[in-house]
C-alpha cells in the first residue's frame, strides 16, 4: 500500500520558545527547518497539521491549581500564539488541546480542529497512514503524540532536526527518542526527505 503522508507540527508556540513562560532551550531554532518541511509538504499537497496547547486560565495542569507546570499557552494570549516566523500554508489544519481544566493533554491525538473533530478521525477520513512529526517538546508533547500515532498503527517519521526537548533531567530527550524508536518510529532529517523525494520516479 502506498504511504499517504501528513506533517504534524507540535506546539511551536511563543510560550515554548525562548522568552516564553515555559521555554524549551533553542525551541525557536526549529522554525526555519519546519518551514522547509512545510514547503515540501505544501508542494506535494500533503496535509499539514499544527497543534497548539490552548489552556483556560484556570487549569489543574498549572502549579497554581495543583498541577506540574507554570501557567502557559492561555487561550488568546500572546504566549499561546504560534511562533511568528512559522510560515504555515493557508491549508494548514490547526488543532487545539488542553481546553479541559481537569485534564493534562500532551498528545495531538487529544486535540481537535475548529469544528471539534479529533485528530485521529481527521487522519482516518483522509486515508493518511504516514505521519511526519516535529515540534516541541521532544520529551513531552512530541513523545506523547508519536507514541499515540504508533498505537494507532501509523508509520511515524521523527524529524530529528525539527524537535527540541525541555530536559528537566539532562537525558530526557534522548530517552524519549529511544522510546519512540523502540515503539517503531523512524528517524528522519530534511536532507534525507529531500534526497528521497528527488530519487522517486515522477508520477508516483
Ligand atoms: Zn500545557
Amino acid at each position: 500500500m502506498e504511504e499517504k503522508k501528513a506533517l504534524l507540527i507540535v506546539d511551536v508556540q511563543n510560550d515554548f520558545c525562548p522568552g516564553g513562560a515555559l521555554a524549551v532551550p533553542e525551541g525557536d531554532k526549529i522554525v526555519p527547518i519546519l518551514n522547509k518541511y512545510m514547503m515540501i509538504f505544501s508542494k506535494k499537497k500533503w496535509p499539514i497539521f499544527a497543534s497548539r496547547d490552548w489552556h483556560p486560565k484556570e487549569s489543574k495542569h498549572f502549579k497554581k491549581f495543583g498541577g506540574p507546570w507554570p501557567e502557559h499557552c492561555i487561550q488568546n494570549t500572546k504566549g499561546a500564539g504560534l511562533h511568528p516566523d512559522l510560515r504555515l500554508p493557508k491549508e494548514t489544519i490547526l488543532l487545539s488541546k488542553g481546553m479541559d481544566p481537569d485534564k493534562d493533554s500532551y498528545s495531538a491525538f487529544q486535540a481537535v480542529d475548529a469544528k471539534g473533530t479529533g485528530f485521529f478521525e481527521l487522519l482516518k477520513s483522509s486515508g493518511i497512514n504516514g505521519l511526519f512529526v516535529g515540534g516541541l517538546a521532544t520529551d513531552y508533547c512530541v513523545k506523547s503524540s508519536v507514541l499515540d500515532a504508533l498505537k494507532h498503527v501509523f508509520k511515524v517519521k521523527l524529524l530529528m532536526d525539527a524537535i527540541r526537548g525541555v530536559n528537566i533531567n539532562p537525558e530526557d530527550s534522548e530517552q524519549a527518542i529511544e522510546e519512540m524508536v523502540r515503539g517503531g518510529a523512524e528517524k528522519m532529517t530534511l536532507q534525507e526527505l529531500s534526497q528521497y523525494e528527488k530519487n522517486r520516479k515522477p508520477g508516483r
Side-chain angles (χ1 to χ4, degrees), residues 177-191:
I177 291 167
E178 263 171 42
E179 197 177 335
M180 291 184 264
V181 169
R182 216 181 307 131
E186 287 175 39
K187 296 179 185 178
M188 173 156 263
T189 61
L190 186 63
Q191 202 187 355

Side-chain angles (χ1 to χ4, degrees), residues 16 53 55 61 72:
F16 295 132
D53 237 4
H55 297 307
H61 188 56
H72 61 275

Side-chain angles (χ1 to χ4, degrees), residues 19-131:
L22 189 46
V24 178
E26 300 190 334
D28 54 338
K29 291 264 170 73
I30 64 173
V31 170
I33 301 169
L34 284 169
N35 285 340
K36 287 183 186 156
Y37 278 111
M38 284 193 280
M39 266 169 59
I40 296 176
F41 274 73
S42 185
K43 212 180 279 174
K44 297 270 182 190
K45 298 199 166 27
W46 295 336
I48 300 171
F49 296 88
S51 71
R52 63 176 178 183
D53 237 4
W54 195 243
H55 297 307
K57 252 194 190 131
E58 294 184 19
S59 167
K60 287 186 180 153
H61 188 56
F62 297 151
K63 264 181 196 148
K64 206 171 156 184
F65 305 98
W69 303 106
E71 288 158 85
H72 61 275
C73 299
I74 293 172
Q75 292 168 13
N76 303 308
T77 61
K78 185 171 177 251
L82 296 173
H83 192 286
D85 295 338
L86 200 61
R87 287 202 291 273
L88 298 171
K90 60 178 184 319
E91 68 271 18
T92 304
I93 298 158
L94 186 64
L95 303 167
S96 305
K97 62 185 169 70
M99 290 81 85
D100 185 336
D102 293 318
K103 267 192 209 149
D104 284 320
S105 309
Y106 296 105
S107 168
F109 285 86
Q110 292 166 290
V112 295
D113 71 359
K115 288 184 190 147
T117 308
F119 185 38
F120 178 67
E121 283 74 32
L122 292 168
L123 292 172
K124 225 174 126 185
S125 63
S126 17
I128 290 157
N129 53 8
L131 203 55

